[in-house]
Amino acid sequence: MKDALINIQNTFYDAGVRGNYTSEENLHLTLAFIGEYPDAESVMDSLAGVSFTPFTISLDGIGSYGDLWWAGISQSPVLDAVVRRIRRALAENGIPFDRKKFSPHITLLRKASVSSMPPVSTENVSAAVESISLMRSDRGKRGMIYTEAGALTAEEASE
């Protein structure tokens, strides 16, 4: 999936679109944005009871919120259920998070230099989700630096 996302970014760049492109290592799907919370261990303790089995996500179109351009992720009842469980666990444990409606997307570009998006098609690409990471973000000289602070691993479905 990352290769497909990079290809989309390259199409934008080759069409003359400038801005702050998300680096390959920073491409991600946010399930719950926690923000400035200093205790990763408490967050992971809160999420310890959240279980899920492996599932698949798929790219579904390109869109924008003003000058922020993104790749959409197909609606998925399984993904939605995992997000609800994560958010419920955070709320029950007093961990603050952004409660905006979940809109699955991966940010490709910020501060796009043009207002109209060049034609680009999303490839029919899917990815298996076998773990979910808690990411710490720090502002670096060249943008955000993401570091994994913990992870939930999918449980194999029992036969």
Side-chain angles (χ1 to χ4, degrees):
M1 183 175 279
K2 279 193 177 184
D3 288 342
L5 296 170
I6 295 297
N7 288 338
I8 293 166
Q9 289 178 316
N10 289 338
T11 299
F12 292 158
Y13 193 84
D14 292 346
V17 179
R18 299 299 179 257
N20 297 334
Y21 283 86
T22 304
S23 62
E24 181 176 358
E25 63 271 10
N26 286 350
L27 291 167
H28 67 278
L29 172 62
T30 300
L31 305 181
F33 180 75
I34 297 171
E36 300 288 329
Y37 193 78
D39 190 355
E41 189 173 329
S42 291
V43 175
M44 289 308 300
D45 288 346
S46 298
L47 298 176
V50 175
S51 63
F52 65 98
T53 56
F55 62 96
T56 301
I57 59 173
S58 301
L59 290 182
D60 184 26
I62 303 294
S64 67
Y65 302 125
D67 65 357
L68 184 144
W69 294 5
W70 47 263
I73 301 297
S74 296
Q75 288 296 320
S76 160
V78 176
L79 174 60
D80 291 343
V82 171
V83 169
R84 280 192 305 276
R85 288 196 299 272
I86 288 171
R87 290 176 174 208
R88 185 178 317 116
L90 294 172
E92 288 173 354
N93 289 281
I95 309 291
F97 63 94
D98 187 338
R99 294 177 184 263
K100 285 183 196 151
K101 182 180 183 290
F102 178 59
S103 177
H105 67 279
I106 298 171
T107 300
L108 301 172
L109 170 67
R110 289 179 172 80
K111 298 183 182 177
S113 63
V114 297
S115 58
S116 63
M117 198 173 291
V120 63
S121 64
T122 56
E123 300 174 35
N124 185 15
V125 174
S126 297
V129 178
E130 297 176 355
S131 67
I132 296 171
S133 298
L134 173 64
M135 301 301 290
R136 174 189 166 120
S137 60
D138 295 296
R139 191 165 305 280
K141 290 180 183 179
R142 295 186 169 190
M144 298 307 288
I145 299 168
Y146 294 100
T147 309
E148 186 176 279
L152 300 174
T153 303
E155 299 174 357
E156 294 301 319
S158 55
E159 307 266 333

XYZ file of all heavy atoms in Angstrom, residues 23-117:
735
model
N 6.381 11.997 4.359
C 7.439 11.050 4.017
C 6.904 9.626 4.137
O 5.944 9.359 4.869
C 8.654 11.240 4.925
O 8.301 10.986 6.262
N 7.545 8.714 3.414
C 7.086 7.319 3.395
C 6.975 6.737 4.794
O 5.994 6.071 5.125
C 8.041 6.474 2.550
C 7.626 5.032 2.461
C 8.513 4.200 1.554
O 9.451 4.732 0.944
O 8.255 2.988 1.472
N 7.960 7.008 5.640
C 7.930 6.425 6.987
C 6.846 7.039 7.875
O 6.519 6.487 8.920
C 9.309 6.519 7.659
C 9.804 7.914 7.891
C 10.611 8.507 6.733
O 10.652 7.915 5.642
O 11.185 9.590 6.919
N 6.273 8.166 7.458
C 5.235 8.813 8.256
C 3.818 8.571 7.737
O 2.859 9.055 8.338
C 5.492 10.313 8.360
C 6.631 10.648 9.300
O 7.126 9.799 10.028
N 7.068 11.890 9.282
N 3.662 7.851 6.640
C 2.319 7.554 6.132
C 1.608 6.648 7.136
O 2.153 5.622 7.540
C 2.410 6.875 4.767
C 2.912 7.747 3.629
C 3.252 6.893 2.409
C 1.898 8.822 3.274
N 0.418 7.053 7.555
C -0.298 6.291 8.577
C -1.792 6.601 8.542
O -2.208 7.615 7.997
C 0.257 6.603 9.969
C -0.017 8.010 10.385
N 0.750 9.081 9.984
C -1.005 8.532 11.167
C 0.260 10.200 10.489
N -0.813 9.900 11.213
N -2.551 5.739 9.164
C -3.988 5.905 9.342
C -4.230 6.135 10.830
O -3.922 5.268 11.647
C -4.722 4.649 8.861
C -6.219 4.554 9.149
C -6.974 5.670 8.450
C -6.743 3.189 8.697
N -4.740 7.304 11.184
C -5.012 7.623 12.590
C -6.373 7.063 12.988
O -7.378 7.361 12.358
C -4.983 9.153 12.815
O -3.691 9.653 12.468
C -5.304 9.509 14.261
N -6.389 6.259 14.044
C -7.638 5.687 14.549
C -8.216 6.531 15.678
O -9.428 6.635 15.825
C -7.404 4.254 15.025
C -6.786 3.309 13.985
C -6.633 1.909 14.571
C -7.591 3.287 12.709
N -7.344 7.106 16.497
C -7.748 8.010 17.574
C -6.572 8.948 17.822
O -5.475 8.483 18.112
C -8.093 7.248 18.839
N -6.817 10.256 17.708
C -5.751 11.224 17.936
C -5.773 11.633 19.406
O -6.744 12.203 19.895
C -5.925 12.451 17.037
C -4.849 13.470 17.235
C -3.578 13.259 16.716
C -5.096 14.631 17.954
C -2.569 14.188 16.917
C -4.099 15.563 18.153
C -2.828 15.343 17.631
N -4.703 11.320 20.106
C -4.635 11.578 21.544
C -4.029 12.948 21.838
O -4.422 13.616 22.777
C -3.862 10.443 22.254
C -4.640 9.141 22.073
C -3.659 10.759 23.735
C -3.919 7.900 22.531
N -3.092 13.397 21.052
C -2.511 14.723 21.258
C -1.482 14.734 22.362
O -0.757 13.759 22.578
N -1.431 15.822 23.094
C -0.410 16.043 24.126
C -0.735 15.266 25.396
O -1.292 15.809 26.341
C -0.306 17.535 24.456
C 0.059 18.419 23.288
C 1.514 18.264 22.873
O 2.361 17.990 23.741
O 1.788 18.417 21.672
N -0.389 14.008 25.420
C -0.607 13.189 26.606
C 0.720 12.539 26.956
O 1.291 11.810 26.138
C -1.690 12.130 26.368
C -2.171 11.477 27.630
C -3.063 12.136 28.471
C -1.716 10.220 28.005
C -3.497 11.543 29.646
C -2.144 9.623 29.177
C -3.034 10.292 29.986
O -3.460 9.713 31.152
N 1.233 12.768 28.148
C 2.619 12.398 28.444
C 2.878 10.941 28.818
O 4.025 10.522 28.881
C 2.948 13.294 29.638
C 1.639 13.460 30.343
C 0.607 13.510 29.250
N 1.830 10.151 29.045
C 2.043 8.833 29.626
C 1.632 7.708 28.672
O 0.510 7.197 28.719
C 1.266 8.738 30.936
C 1.598 7.496 31.739
O 2.364 6.645 31.257
O 1.067 7.384 32.864
N 2.553 7.306 27.802
C 2.271 6.244 26.837
C 1.921 4.931 27.528
O 1.082 4.158 27.045
C 3.463 6.060 25.903
N 2.528 4.668 28.667
C 2.263 3.419 29.377
C 0.806 3.342 29.822
O 0.165 2.293 29.704
C 3.202 3.286 30.582
C 3.127 1.930 31.241
C 4.180 1.743 32.333
O 5.275 2.329 32.220
O 3.879 1.027 33.293
N 0.258 4.454 30.305
C -1.159 4.476 30.695
C -2.063 4.245 29.488
O -3.092 3.567 29.599
C -1.521 5.816 31.343
O -0.897 5.937 32.587
N -1.681 4.818 28.363
C -2.471 4.613 27.147
C -2.453 3.137 26.772
O -3.501 2.531 26.506
C -1.961 5.490 25.987
C -2.714 5.165 24.696
C -2.094 6.977 26.325
N -1.285 2.535 26.765
C -1.190 1.119 26.406
C -1.924 0.241 27.417
O -2.573 -0.730 27.026
C 0.273 0.688 26.273
C 0.972 1.245 25.043
S 0.093 0.955 23.472
C 0.026 -0.830 23.415
N -1.854 0.585 28.705
C -2.621 -0.155 29.707
C -4.115 -0.069 29.404
O -4.844 -1.056 29.530
C -2.345 0.371 31.118
C -0.960 0.007 31.627
O -0.287 -0.865 31.019
O -0.531 0.619 32.638
N -4.585 1.109 28.984
C -5.995 1.302 28.644
C -6.403 0.461 27.449
O -7.525 -0.039 27.380
C -6.266 2.778 28.315
O -6.005 3.584 29.430
N -5.479 0.290 26.509
C -5.791 -0.436 25.280
C -5.569 -1.939 25.392
O -5.890 -2.682 24.463
C -4.940 0.118 24.128
C -5.177 1.592 23.786
C -4.209 2.042 22.695
C -6.619 1.848 23.381
N -5.038 -2.385 26.526
C -4.692 -3.797 26.690
C -5.883 -4.732 26.451
O -5.715 -5.849 25.964
C -4.098 -4.045 28.069
N -7.068 -4.277 26.764
C -8.239 -5.130 26.591
C -8.872 -5.060 25.210
O -9.861 -5.731 24.950
N -8.309 -4.243 24.333
C -8.856 -4.114 22.984
C -8.274 -5.227 22.122
O -7.069 -5.281 21.909
C -8.526 -2.737 22.364
C -8.993 -2.675 20.920
C -9.134 -1.614 23.191
N -9.142 -6.116 21.668
C -8.660 -7.210 20.835
C -9.273 -7.089 19.445
O -10.325 -6.486 19.263
C -8.986 -8.557 21.461
O -10.378 -8.708 21.536
N -8.583 -7.662 18.483
C -9.090 -7.712 17.121
C -8.391 -8.852 16.394
O -7.318 -9.284 16.789
C -8.878 -6.374 16.391
C -7.437 -6.005 16.160
C -6.816 -6.257 14.935
C -6.688 -5.411 17.172
C -5.486 -5.924 14.727
C -5.363 -5.066 16.960
C -4.763 -5.325 15.736
N -9.039 -9.341 15.369
C -8.416 -10.338 14.506
C -7.908 -9.606 13.267
O -8.368 -8.498 12.958
C -9.415 -11.438 14.112
O -10.542 -10.835 13.497
C -9.853 -12.247 15.328
N -6.947 -10.182 12.558
C -6.432 -9.512 11.360
C -7.567 -9.158 10.397
O -8.535 -9.914 10.261
C -5.496 -10.552 10.741
C -5.084 -11.422 11.881
C -6.289 -11.481 12.780
N -7.451 -7.997 9.770
C -8.444 -7.567 8.781
C -7.720 -6.811 7.674
O -6.511 -6.584 7.752
C -9.558 -6.742 9.428
C -9.108 -5.451 10.070
C -9.193 -4.244 9.383
C -8.609 -5.436 11.374
C -8.790 -3.052 9.983
C -8.207 -4.254 11.979
C -8.300 -3.063 11.275
N -8.454 -6.426 6.659
C -7.870 -5.765 5.497
C -8.460 -4.378 5.330
O -9.658 -4.176 5.559
C -8.157 -6.612 4.231
O -7.596 -7.908 4.422
C -7.555 -5.983 2.996
N -7.615 -3.428 4.926
C -8.084 -2.100 4.530
C -7.715 -1.902 3.064
O -6.761 -2.504 2.567
C -7.498 -0.967 5.408
C -5.966 -0.956 5.353
C -8.009 -1.072 6.843
C -5.328 0.244 6.061
N -8.485 -1.052 2.372
C -8.267 -0.815 0.947
C -8.315 0.674 0.647
O -9.097 1.409 1.259
C -9.349 -1.506 0.114
O -9.349 -2.888 0.368
N -7.495 1.084 -0.317
C -7.545 2.470 -0.772
C -8.866 2.713 -1.478
O -9.393 1.835 -2.164
C -6.394 2.772 -1.737
C -4.997 2.831 -1.156
C -3.980 3.188 -2.244
C -4.908 3.837 -0.019
N -9.389 3.941 -1.320
C -10.670 4.281 -1.929
C -10.709 5.765 -2.254
O -11.296 6.552 -1.527
C -11.815 3.909 -0.981
C -13.183 4.149 -1.596
O -13.286 4.124 -2.834
O -14.139 4.362 -0.828
N -10.045 6.150 -3.331
C -10.130 7.513 -3.819
C -9.169 8.481 -3.154
O -8.490 8.155 -2.177
N -9.136 9.672 -3.732
C -8.288 10.765 -3.271
C -9.204 11.934 -2.980
O -10.192 12.150 -3.685
C -7.275 11.171 -4.377
C -6.433 9.976 -4.807
C -6.403 12.324 -3.936
C -5.523 9.436 -3.748
N -8.876 12.700 -1.958
C -9.690 13.860 -1.635
C -8.858 14.918 -0.944
O -7.638 14.802 -0.831
N -9.533 15.970 -0.494
C -8.815 17.047 0.172
C -9.692 17.704 1.225
O -10.916 17.660 1.156
C -8.354 18.090 -0.843
O -9.466 18.751 -1.409
N -9.015 18.272 2.195
C -9.615 19.196 3.157
C -8.841 20.485 2.922
O -7.772 20.682 3.497
C -9.413 18.734 4.596
C -9.957 17.358 4.926
C -9.135 16.381 5.468
C -11.294 17.038 4.729
C -9.628 15.121 5.797
C -11.790 15.778 5.042
C -10.947 14.833 5.578
O -11.426 13.585 5.898
N -9.315 21.327 2.021
C -8.569 22.532 1.671
C -7.256 22.158 1.006
O -7.232 21.432 0.012
N -6.131 22.626 1.592
C -4.823 22.342 0.987
C -4.160 21.093 1.564
O -2.987 20.846 1.335
C -3.897 23.556 1.097
C -3.538 23.926 2.528
O -4.048 23.292 3.481
O -2.729 24.856 2.701
N -4.917 20.288 2.298
C -4.432 19.001 2.787
C -5.054 17.919 1.898
O -6.272 17.821 1.794
C -4.850 18.795 4.244
C -4.326 17.515 4.897
C -3.997 17.795 6.353
C -5.298 16.375 4.788
N -4.200 17.137 1.242
C -4.668 16.103 0.320
C -4.443 14.733 0.931
O -3.417 14.496 1.565
C -3.944 16.216 -1.015
C -4.266 17.479 -1.770
C -5.026 18.536 -1.355
C -3.808 17.826 -3.070
N -5.083 19.505 -2.316
C -4.331 19.100 -3.393
C -3.002 17.186 -4.007
C -4.083 19.730 -4.598
C -2.755 17.820 -5.208
C -3.298 19.079 -5.501
N -5.382 13.819 0.713
C -5.344 12.520 1.363
C -5.815 11.412 0.442
O -6.486 11.660 -0.555
C -6.186 12.529 2.633
C -7.556 13.136 2.479
C -7.909 14.417 2.790
C -8.745 12.520 1.974
N -9.249 14.623 2.511
C -9.774 13.478 2.003
C -9.030 11.250 1.493
C -11.071 13.206 1.577
C -10.325 10.974 1.058
C -11.325 11.947 1.115
N -5.469 10.191 0.817
C -5.993 8.984 0.178
C -7.028 8.391 1.124
O -6.759 8.205 2.310
C -4.870 7.978 -0.077
N -8.195 8.113 0.596
C -9.252 7.552 1.423
C -9.088 6.055 1.623
O -8.459 5.366 0.828
N -9.654 5.592 2.706
C -9.699 4.164 3.018
C -11.170 3.747 2.962
O -12.034 4.418 3.531
C -9.117 3.873 4.425
C -7.663 4.337 4.527
C -9.261 2.401 4.781
C -6.685 3.630 3.599
N -11.437 2.643 2.268
C -12.812 2.155 2.133
C -13.455 1.952 3.496
O -12.799 1.505 4.437
C -12.833 0.806 1.399
O -12.359 0.945 0.095
N -14.743 2.263 3.554
C -15.481 1.993 4.776
C -15.444 0.502 5.059
O -15.558 -0.312 4.151
C -16.925 2.480 4.653
C -17.057 3.988 4.686
C -16.618 4.576 6.017
O -16.894 4.032 7.076
N -15.910 5.686 5.965
N -15.265 0.175 6.317
C -15.154 -1.218 6.720
C -15.796 -1.387 8.086
O -15.356 -0.756 9.051
C -13.671 -1.604 6.791
O -13.486 -2.744 7.572
N -16.818 -2.226 8.200
C -17.427 -2.467 9.509
C -16.411 -2.985 10.531
O -16.488 -2.641 11.706
C -18.508 -3.512 9.231
C -18.820 -3.367 7.775
C -17.522 -2.942 7.129
N -15.455 -3.787 10.082
C -14.445 -4.322 11.005
C -13.559 -3.188 11.519
O -13.315 -3.072 12.722
C -13.605 -5.430 10.324
C -12.499 -5.901 11.250
C -14.485 -6.579 9.896
N -13.068 -2.337 10.623
C -12.250 -1.193 11.029
C -13.043 -0.282 11.959
O -12.541 0.140 13.010
C -11.767 -0.417 9.801
C -11.009 0.883 10.074
C -9.746 0.641 10.894
C -10.670 1.572 8.745
N -14.279 0.020 11.600
C -15.116 0.879 12.445
C -15.289 0.293 13.843
O -15.242 1.019 14.843
C -16.487 1.107 11.804
C -16.412 1.976 10.550
O -15.393 2.668 10.344
O -17.388 1.954 9.769
N -15.477 -1.017 13.935
C -15.651 -1.669 15.242
C -14.370 -1.566 16.076
O -14.427 -1.310 17.283
C -16.056 -3.130 15.059
N -13.217 -1.756 15.442
C -11.943 -1.636 16.165
C -11.774 -0.210 16.685
O -11.389 0.000 17.839
C -10.752 -2.051 15.269
C -9.427 -1.715 15.922
C -10.817 -3.529 14.947
N -12.088 0.771 15.850
C -11.974 2.176 16.270
C -12.897 2.450 17.450
O -12.493 3.105 18.424
C -12.261 3.126 15.085
C -12.419 4.570 15.559
C -11.160 3.016 14.039
N -14.131 1.954 17.404
C -15.059 2.154 18.533
C -14.496 1.544 19.816
O -14.567 2.159 20.885
C -16.433 1.550 18.228
C -17.309 2.422 17.358
C -18.755 1.941 17.322
N -18.918 0.549 16.917
C -18.962 0.127 15.656
N -18.861 0.982 14.670
N -19.111 -1.167 15.397
N -13.926 0.329 19.725
C -13.362 -0.317 20.915
C -12.170 0.480 21.463
O -12.033 0.632 22.676
C -12.970 -1.763 20.605
C -14.173 -2.677 20.433
C -13.818 -4.159 20.499
N -12.903 -4.609 19.474
C -13.263 -5.048 18.264
N -14.531 -5.053 17.912
N -12.357 -5.481 17.416
N -11.334 0.964 20.585
C -10.182 1.766 21.020
C -10.663 3.033 21.713
O -10.208 3.369 22.814
C -9.272 2.109 19.823
C -8.514 0.859 19.373
C -8.312 3.252 20.156
C -7.761 1.023 18.064
N -11.578 3.736 21.095
C -12.058 4.999 21.663
C -12.810 4.781 22.971
O -12.685 5.576 23.896
C -12.906 5.744 20.630
C -12.044 6.266 19.477
C -12.855 6.922 18.400
N -11.986 7.524 17.405
C -12.320 8.561 16.672
N -13.513 9.124 16.802
N -11.478 9.061 15.795
N -13.574 3.696 23.058
C -14.274 3.391 24.312
C -13.264 3.126 25.431
O -13.411 3.629 26.550
C -15.198 2.182 24.131
C -16.043 1.892 25.371
C -17.006 0.712 25.200
N -17.689 0.709 23.926
C -17.549 -0.239 22.989
N -16.764 -1.277 23.189
N -18.212 -0.169 21.857
N -12.213 2.359 25.133
C -11.187 2.056 26.142
C -10.489 3.335 26.606
O -10.238 3.509 27.803
C -10.176 1.063 25.583
N -10.194 4.218 25.681
C -9.563 5.488 26.061
C -10.493 6.300 26.959
O -10.075 6.811 28.010
C -9.185 6.298 24.808
C -8.098 5.708 23.918
C -7.978 6.507 22.617
C -6.763 5.647 24.643
N -11.748 6.431 26.557
C -12.718 7.219 27.330
C -12.910 6.634 28.727
O -12.931 7.377 29.727
C -14.050 7.281 26.588
N -13.040 5.317 28.816
C -13.258 4.669 30.109
C -12.082 4.851 31.060
O -12.240 4.768 32.272
C -13.535 3.175 29.916
C -14.903 2.892 29.326
C -15.118 1.428 28.963
O -14.147 0.623 29.061
O -16.245 1.095 28.576
N -10.912 5.109 30.504
C -9.718 5.269 31.328
C -9.250 6.713 31.434
O -8.134 6.980 31.894
C -8.598 4.369 30.791
C -8.892 2.913 31.070
O -8.687 2.448 32.184
N -9.410 2.199 30.077
N -10.105 7.645 31.023
C -9.805 9.061 31.175
C -8.684 9.572 30.285
O -8.083 10.610 30.592
N -8.397 8.884 29.194
C -7.367 9.333 28.257
C -8.054 10.248 27.244
O -8.944 9.810 26.514
C -6.702 8.151 27.515
C -6.216 7.069 28.476
C -5.602 8.642 26.580
C -5.061 7.433 29.347
N -7.664 11.521 27.191
C -8.330 12.437 26.252
C -7.934 12.135 24.808
O -6.791 11.783 24.530
C -7.819 13.811 26.682
C -6.518 13.550 27.352
C -6.620 12.178 27.966
N -8.911 12.260 23.906
C -8.649 12.073 22.479
C -9.621 12.928 21.691
O -10.653 13.361 22.199
C -8.765 10.591 22.083
C -10.139 10.010 22.269
C -11.048 9.966 21.227
C -10.517 9.509 23.511
C -12.314 9.435 21.416
C -11.780 8.965 23.705
C -12.684 8.931 22.657
N -9.279 13.190 20.443
C -10.128 13.979 19.556
C -11.359 13.141 19.210
O -11.229 12.038 18.675
C -9.342 14.332 18.295
C -10.087 15.291 17.386
O -11.329 15.376 17.473
O -9.419 15.951 16.579
N -12.527 13.645 19.520
C -13.759 12.876 19.348
C -14.458 13.144 18.019
O -15.623 12.780 17.852
C -14.696 13.139 20.517
C -14.117 12.598 21.819
C -15.013 12.909 23.007
N -14.414 12.466 24.235
C -14.698 11.310 24.830
N -15.543 10.472 24.296
N -14.111 10.989 25.965
N -13.728 13.733 17.068
C -14.321 13.932 15.745
C -14.716 12.586 15.152
O -14.097 11.566 15.440
C -13.314 14.594 14.794
C -13.087 16.047 15.041
C -12.126 16.600 14.001
C -11.589 17.936 14.464
N -10.258 18.191 13.949
N -15.735 12.636 14.291
C -16.180 11.426 13.593
C -14.993 10.822 12.850
O -14.202 11.524 12.228
C -17.283 11.792 12.608
C -17.855 10.619 11.854
C -18.949 11.098 10.886
C -19.596 9.948 10.164
N -18.761 9.287 9.183
N -14.857 9.507 12.941
C -13.772 8.803 12.270
C -13.980 8.863 10.764
O -15.023 8.457 10.251
C -13.716 7.351 12.753
C -12.657 6.522 12.092
C -11.318 6.873 12.172
C -12.997 5.380 11.390
C -10.335 6.105 11.571
C -12.029 4.597 10.797
C -10.692 4.966 10.876
N -13.008 9.395 10.063
C -13.027 9.497 8.611
C -11.711 8.908 8.106
O -10.695 9.605 8.055
C -13.170 10.968 8.209
O -13.121 11.100 6.824
N -11.696 7.629 7.759
C -10.430 6.948 7.474
C -9.722 7.494 6.228
O -10.252 7.432 5.123
C -10.832 5.483 7.296
C -12.278 5.509 6.965
C -12.845 6.736 7.588
N -8.543 8.039 6.455
C -7.739 8.595 5.361
C -6.266 8.614 5.767
O -5.943 8.562 6.950
C -8.203 10.003 5.004
C -7.931 10.993 6.091
N -8.754 11.132 7.198
C -6.910 11.871 6.271
C -8.249 12.063 7.996
N -7.131 12.522 7.462
N -5.408 8.701 4.769
C -3.970 8.803 4.989
C -3.512 10.098 4.331
O -3.684 10.286 3.121
C -3.229 7.587 4.385
C -3.701 6.297 5.070
C -1.713 7.766 4.496
C -3.212 5.020 4.409
N -2.950 11.005 5.123
C -2.512 12.291 4.602
C -1.302 12.100 3.690
O -0.311 11.489 4.077
C -2.167 13.261 5.753
O -3.346 13.456 6.548
C -1.673 14.597 5.226
N -1.415 12.657 2.480
C -0.347 12.573 1.491
C 0.447 13.863 1.380
O 1.647 13.841 1.120
C -0.934 12.242 0.107
C -1.715 10.938 -0.001
C -2.382 10.841 -1.361
C -0.788 9.761 0.243
N -0.234 15.002 1.566
C 0.367 16.305 1.278
C -0.336 17.388 2.083
O -1.562 17.415 2.138
C 0.220 16.572 -0.233
C 0.538 17.932 -0.792
C 2.030 18.233 -0.666
C 0.127 18.008 -2.259
N 0.453 18.249 2.676
C -0.077 19.440 3.359
C 0.403 20.669 2.603
O 1.477 20.659 2.021
C 0.427 19.503 4.801
C -0.179 18.470 5.722
C 0.414 18.592 7.144
N -0.275 17.738 8.083
C -0.063 16.428 8.210
N 0.824 15.827 7.460
N -0.742 15.719 9.092
N -0.404 21.712 2.657
C -0.071 22.992 2.011
C 0.169 22.815 0.509
O 1.158 23.313 -0.043
C 1.131 23.655 2.689
C 0.863 23.981 4.146
C 2.024 24.706 4.789
C 1.720 24.968 6.252
N 2.828 25.594 6.951
N -0.759 22.098 -0.141
C -0.672 21.918 -1.590
C -0.649 23.274 -2.274
O -1.407 24.175 -1.912
C -1.848 21.084 -2.091
N 0.220 23.428 -3.263
C 0.433 24.720 -3.919
C -0.650 25.069 -4.932
O -0.671 26.192 -5.435
C 1.801 24.735 -4.608
O 1.837 23.745 -5.633
N -1.514 24.141 -5.252
C -2.600 24.400 -6.194
C -3.911 23.970 -5.549
O -3.929 23.153 -4.638
C -2.394 23.643 -7.530
C -1.137 24.108 -8.232
C -2.359 22.151 -7.332
N -5.006 24.535 -6.037
C -6.292 24.200 -5.424
C -6.987 23.039 -6.126
O -7.852 22.408 -5.537
C -7.207 25.421 -5.413
O -7.398 25.883 -6.736
N -6.623 22.764 -7.378
C -7.266 21.641 -8.052
C -6.292 20.479 -8.177
O -5.135 20.649 -8.532
C -7.791 22.055 -9.423
O -6.723 22.440 -10.254
N -6.799 19.320 -7.882
C -5.997 18.111 -7.861
C -5.836 17.574 -9.280
O -6.810 17.472 -10.008
C -6.711 17.087 -6.973
C -5.861 15.972 -6.510
S -6.767 14.957 -5.313
C -6.897 16.059 -3.923
